[in-house]
Amino acid sequence: MTATLVPPATARAHRDPNVLRWLAAYTSSMLGDSVYYLALSWAAVQAGTPAQAGLVMSASALPRAVLMLGGGVIADRFGPRRVVIGSDAVRCAAVLAVAALLFACSPGLWPLALLALVFGTVDAVFMPAVGALPARLTEKDQLARVQGMRGLAIRFSSVVGAPLGGLGVALGGAAAAFTLAGALIALSVPLLLSVRMRDLPAAGNSTAWNDLAAGLRYIRRHRVLAPLMVAIALGDLGFVGPLNVGLTLLADRRGWGASGMGWILAGFGAGAGAASLLLTVRGRLPRAGLVTGCACVAGSAAVGALALAPTVAAAVGTALLVGLLTGLSGALCGALLQTQTEPAFLGRVTAVSSLVSLGLTPLSMPFAAAAIGAFGLGPVYAVSAAVCGLGGAVALVVPALRRAELPG
């Protein structure tokens, strides 16, 4: 597949048909992901015990974490579009194969576990490639806007995907839901094929291992990216526990039930979506590094306050603030990562940030649950907020990151 040159941009990213085709492909793929996860959890619960279902749902985490850095090398060596298209094709084929198997018989848990392993393996190359794509699509001064558009697509997919998956299960069981997921993922392939890309830099003759080492050296020596990775790690580490397992335990102990937790999550999603919309419309915010640090510190205080909310309404309002502030800091971190990194390294840089956010920080969830059981909600939320705030402190203390700007 030969990539073609993108002509000089004449429109902002949210008005560029080429970028909008990419956005439609990405949204379709993310919708397919959401439907897939619901179908997988439903099928696993129906086929085994709750403990077995939990193992199936977590089967993708290990290959994703172990292979993520190698996936970044693959994305940079072979080109992000080629990798994303290949990843979507493999995921689509795997999901439809399991759907056909479920239509034909009741095979038990083993095909579901195998499907989860395939998804985790493919995600290890898909995620870095997705992160490297925007720089091939548009000019550098539009990358922050594209980051906001990507955030809106993620929020839309998470809100719409679950009801779509539930409808598929209601109409035809897990097999129908898997079929719907495969169709949505498949739709992204022709859309991606229609997207015009910049020419890729010439590939070197170095080994994959040398490419990986070069990418890690690039991050370590970069005045903005190195502290940015630390800020992302600390922010996510303090954020994941309270907003996942912590929120479930908070709703249970307050007697708010599943509906209360749903409203709190909706508040968080609305706040995060508003932050992405702001970046989409504005395109850039002045003094991005300073705003990132301040938003992260303020967001960490809101995370800590969530444990003190006396009513569902108060918790929803606090979650809205958490979503707005952490969503803004997260979107700006992504935009800075996109604009500060040379395109040839974007796959590897995205792989490192994805490994930190999606591969390592989820490991904090069982520790958060155990700590809440031992010490209570308040102390654990306070410690988590302090860790999250340290991420913002890094952004404020390191001069190069604090002064970092998005291209105008």
Side-chain angles (χ1 to χ4, degrees):
M1 185 186 307
T2 303
T4 56
L5 283 171
V6 177
T10 58
R12 294 179 178 179
H14 62 299
R15 297 174 182 171
D16 185 344
N18 193 54
V19 175
L20 293 178
R21 285 194 297 271
W22 162 80
L23 184 66
Y26 182 69
T27 303
S28 180
S29 181
M30 291 297 98
L31 272 174
D33 271 8
S34 295
V35 174
Y36 154 76
Y37 282 112
L38 188 142
L40 182 67
S41 62
W42 179 266
V45 168
Q46 296 299 307
T49 66
Q52 290 172 330
L55 288 174
V56 169
M57 292 301 296
S58 62
S60 61
L62 182 60
R64 184 168 56 218
V66 170
L67 302 175
M68 184 75 75
L69 294 180
V73 173
I74 292 173
D76 285 335
R77 286 176 73 92
F78 295 99
R81 180 171 70 167
R82 186 178 302 176
V83 173
V84 170
I85 290 173
S87 300
D88 276 345
V90 171
R91 294 192 303 163
C92 175
V95 170
L96 293 180
V98 170
L101 192 60
L102 290 175
F103 273 122
C105 61
S106 299
L109 286 170
W110 70 264
L112 302 177
L114 181 61
L115 177 62
L117 286 171
V118 169
F119 254 70
T121 302
V122 174
D123 277 349
V125 295
F126 175 80
M127 290 177 179
V130 164
L133 266 175
R136 318 284 184 178
L137 290 171
T138 189
E139 301 298 328
K140 200 167 188 178
D141 64 344
Q142 295 298 307
L143 287 177
R145 180 171 273 119
V146 170
Q147 189 69 20
M149 295 164 68
R150 182 182 172 191
L152 287 175
I154 293 172
R155 297 301 163 194
F156 173 81
S157 301
S158 64
V159 170
V160 176
L164 271 180
L167 179 62
V169 169
L171 293 177
F178 277 129
T179 302
L180 176 59
L184 287 167
I185 295 172
L187 179 61
S188 69
V189 174
L191 288 169
L192 280 171
L193 288 171
S194 70
V195 173
R196 293 168 292 123
M197 297 278 176
R198 299 178 186 277
D199 276 337
L200 302 173
N205 296 320
S206 61
T207 65
W209 181 258
N210 287 338
D211 283 351
L212 175 58
L216 295 176
R217 282 196 304 272
Y218 175 77
I219 295 172
R220 179 171 55 83
R221 295 172 179 174
H222 200 286
R223 297 172 63 245
V224 173
L225 292 178
L228 183 61
M229 290 297 177
V230 176
I232 290 172
L234 290 170
D236 285 346
L237 188 63
F239 174 81
V240 166
L243 264 293
N244 286 277
V245 63
L247 186 57
T248 303
L249 295 173
L250 177 65
D252 179 65
R253 295 189 179 186
R254 292 284 198 276
W256 297 336
S259 62
M261 186 174 71
W263 279 109
I264 297 169
L265 287 173
F268 170 78
S276 294
L277 182 61
L278 174 65
L279 201 55
T280 300
V281 173
R282 290 290 304 272
R284 72 181 295 271
L285 294 177
R287 309 191 73 177
L290 179 63
V291 173
T292 297
C294 291
C296 188
V297 170
S300 69
V303 168
L306 193 58
L308 306 176
T311 64
V312 172
V316 171
T318 306
L320 180 69
L321 187 61
V322 171
L324 180 62
L325 293 169
T326 60
L328 179 61
S329 62
L332 287 173
C333 281
L336 287 170
L337 186 148
Q338 287 282 325
T339 55
Q340 292 286 331
T341 305
E342 293 179 24
F345 287 94
L346 260 173
R348 282 162 285 181
V349 171
T350 303
V352 173
S353 66
S354 298
L355 177 62
V356 167
S357 297
L358 301 174
L360 299 181
T361 53
L363 298 176
S364 68
M365 287 193 285
F367 294 102
I372 290 173
F375 305 107
L377 286 163
V380 174
Y381 265 79
V383 171
S384 297
V387 173
C388 187
L390 283 175
V394 169
L396 295 175
V397 168
V398 178
L401 179 52
R402 184 179 68 248
R403 297 168 185 161
E405 293 279 5
L406 297 174

